[in-house]
Amino acid sequence: MMADAGDRTPLVEELTEQDLARLRIRLEHLMEVETGFRSGSRHWARPDEPRPAFDPATTSLGERRLAKVAELGALPETEAARLGLESVSERTLKRMAARYRESGLIGLADGRWTRQAGGHPSVTADVEEAIRAVHEQSLRRSRISMASRERLIHQYVREVFPDREVRVPHRTTLARVWRKWFGPGGSRQRYVRSAAAVPAPAGVPVIASRPGQVVVLDSTPLPVKVLDDVFGTPITVHLTIALDAYTHSIVAFRLTPVAESSIEVAMLLRDVLSPLPMRPGWGETMAWPYPGVPAALVADLAGGPVAGLPFFTPEAITVDHGSAFKNHHLVQVARTLGVDVLPARAMRPTDKAACERAFAAIQSLLLELLPGWRGIDVADRGADPEADAAWTVAEMEHLLASWIVAVFTDRRSS
């Protein structure tokens, strides 16, 4: 049976703008306690930071918690109540930090902001059985409207409970219950069936807490026509990236003239482990600073100057169910490297949301500006994108490498 909405953790997107603003203020207070900076990092310090009572160089975590308790206790009563911080102790700050590490931003929300409304008394056990039976039937049928679902619910009640007087709620109530139990229903019917066929995942979601813990691999056709290096004909290439789930940094990428293969993905793993050498035309701003490690030692290890792109041995990789990622060759390579393979759930792009956002960033910040851009939909395509193609595969690969090191890696991830 599907869990009721009150049994799940609420989402940040479900909060109102006012509650979200209050949530960000609570996060700033917590970050100042944990790190000494309201942004959570000294790299984005505000002009007055760190304040003396929260300077991590001169205060301990316990001292900063006590200072924050005193600061919040001095707030006006109305402001403290608006933030849900009218009664804060050192223990409260510890619980807030633990909830933030476990659930992210939503873990800091006041329970009064995320409290779910009560159930629907008019939805009796018989009505619930009818709703779930109609939902099961709807999965195998073509898509129908809520009005038709209501008729089917009434029909089920009449046929299954002929001797009982079962009162079916109004259509608006049925629509709210349907949305609450089964989602908004905006997906295509075949995708709804595919998603319903996937069993609920066991265990708990994976939360990355350090660089290299989880690296997400994904591939997509590059929405820019490029020229073949030999014949100069316009072709479509595939872009495969490896993205660190903790830092949201692209740690490796590959362009392939055909659909990605298990060999290419295995080589992508090798690229994750290997430093990216400096290329002709790259200046000192593209080099990796390696604080605390002599540059000569790093250059000697890599065989030359190294660009500013992270490299490490990943502990686990998340892949989808494409044939290249399910191939036994890739599984064997991962096993040899000591890397765990964590398959994403079928028809669940949210399991690789960071990777999807990275593809969207590459598209909007770089690819849309290039000649040969063919868009993401045939209806939005230009008159002749193949004739506009101007970059060869090698040139596109060099452009992507330069952009990832100089722009994407240096951007602040939201």
Side-chain angles (χ1 to χ4, degrees):
M1 180 178 294
M2 185 173 292
D4 190 87
D7 299 329
R8 64 172 174 81
T9 302
L11 303 176
V12 173
E13 292 79 2
E14 296 175 349
L15 298 178
T16 64
E17 288 296 330
Q18 180 182 3
D19 291 339
L20 191 58
R22 293 189 288 180
L23 188 59
R24 293 193 179 106
I25 296 176
R26 288 166 68 97
L27 176 61
E28 288 183 357
H29 283 298
L30 178 64
M31 287 295 98
E32 189 171 31
V33 170
E34 296 293 313
T35 66
F37 303 88
R38 280 164 281 186
S39 64
S41 172
R42 65 175 64 252
H43 299 294
W44 305 308
R46 299 180 183 179
D48 61 332
E49 290 180 336
R51 295 191 289 168
F54 302 97
D55 190 345
T58 59
T59 60
S60 65
L61 179 59
E63 292 172 339
R64 294 197 296 274
R65 284 173 176 159
L66 292 175
K68 183 59 68 174
V69 169
E71 180 184 33
L72 296 177
L75 287 177
E77 184 176 350
T78 55
E79 182 177 352
R82 185 176 66 86
L83 296 176
L85 298 173
E86 58 267 41
S87 179
V88 175
S89 64
E90 186 178 3
R91 185 177 179 85
T92 304
L93 295 174
K94 291 180 181 179
R95 287 199 302 267
M96 290 174 64
R99 289 199 302 268
Y100 179 70
R101 286 192 295 268
E102 179 181 352
S103 304
L105 185 61
I106 194 63
L108 300 180
D110 192 300
R112 292 168 291 186
W113 306 345
T114 59
R115 186 173 298 153
Q116 299 292 330
H120 297 276
S122 58
V123 181
T124 62
D126 294 339
V127 174
E128 179 180 350
E129 178 183 336
I131 294 174
R132 297 190 183 279
V134 171
H135 175 259
E136 185 66 26
Q137 295 173 13
S138 301
L139 291 176
R140 297 189 294 271
R141 302 177 55 167
S142 299
R143 187 173 180 179
I144 58 177
S145 64
M146 191 62 220
S148 297
R149 294 169 188 161
E150 180 195 17
R151 295 189 185 97
L152 291 177
I153 292 172
H154 280 276
Q155 179 181 345
Y156 183 93
V157 168
R158 289 195 303 269
E159 294 178 355
V160 178
F161 311 115
D163 300 329
R164 303 185 198 173
E165 186 178 348
V166 179
R167 183 178 179 84
V168 178
H170 190 267
R171 184 188 304 174
T172 55
T173 301
L174 293 177
R176 283 197 298 268
V177 172
W178 191 283
R179 183 184 181 90
K180 185 177 181 181
W181 290 356
F182 311 120
S187 303
R188 298 299 184 187
Q189 192 69 359
R190 60 176 177 174
Y191 299 146
V192 173
R193 281 194 295 270
S194 300
V198 179
V204 296
V206 177
I207 300 178
S209 58
R210 56 188 177 276
Q213 182 180 4
V214 179
V215 172
V216 187
L217 309 184
D218 202 1
S219 179
T220 187
L222 193 74
V224 174
K225 284 288 185 179
V226 297
L227 300 176
D228 181 81
D229 288 324
V230 178
F231 298 100
T233 55
I235 61 173
T236 298
V237 295
H238 282 67
L239 172 64
T240 307
I241 66 172
L243 184 133
D244 178 46
Y246 181 76
T247 61
H248 288 195
S249 300
I250 297 178
V251 293
F253 80 96
R254 286 218 161 217
L255 277 182
T256 53
V258 294
E260 72 284 355
S261 65
S262 60
I263 300 294
E264 292 290 345
V265 179
M267 294 301 292
L268 184 71
L269 277 181
R270 188 209 65 140
D271 295 342
V272 175
L273 277 67
S274 307
L276 179 66
M278 293 286 286
R279 300 190 178 193
W282 287 3
E284 294 183 358
T285 57
M286 307 278 277
W288 187 278
Y290 290 97
V293 180
L297 179 62
V298 178
D300 183 65
L301 173 66
V306 177
L309 199 69
F311 65 95
F312 41 69
T313 301
E315 301 176 28
I317 57 174
T318 295
V319 298
D320 59 20
H321 292 257
S323 58
F325 300 106
K326 294 170 63 176
N327 190 283
H328 67 89
H329 178 261
L330 175 63
V331 175
Q332 184 60 42
V333 169
R335 185 178 293 119
T336 302
L337 295 175
V339 178
D340 296 327
V341 179
L342 305 176
R345 293 173 295 170
M347 306 303 298
R348 293 295 194 278
T350 51
D351 288 357
K352 300 187 279 79
C355 224
E356 302 296 342
R357 287 197 297 270
F359 282 136
I362 296 173
Q363 171 189 308
S364 62
L365 298 176
L366 175 65
L367 301 181
E368 289 185 0
L369 307 176
L370 302 180
W373 163 255
R374 59 188 179 90
I376 57 177
D377 191 278
V378 177
D380 297 330
R381 189 160 297 172
D384 192 0
E386 293 187 352
D388 297 335
W391 298 78
T392 64
V393 177
E395 290 171 341
M396 179 61 71
E397 195 273 342
H398 181 76
L399 174 65
L400 280 171
S402 304
W403 184 83
I404 289 173
V405 175
V407 180
F408 187 88
T409 305
D410 198 43
R411 293 179 70 244
R412 176 178 177 178
S413 299
S414 56

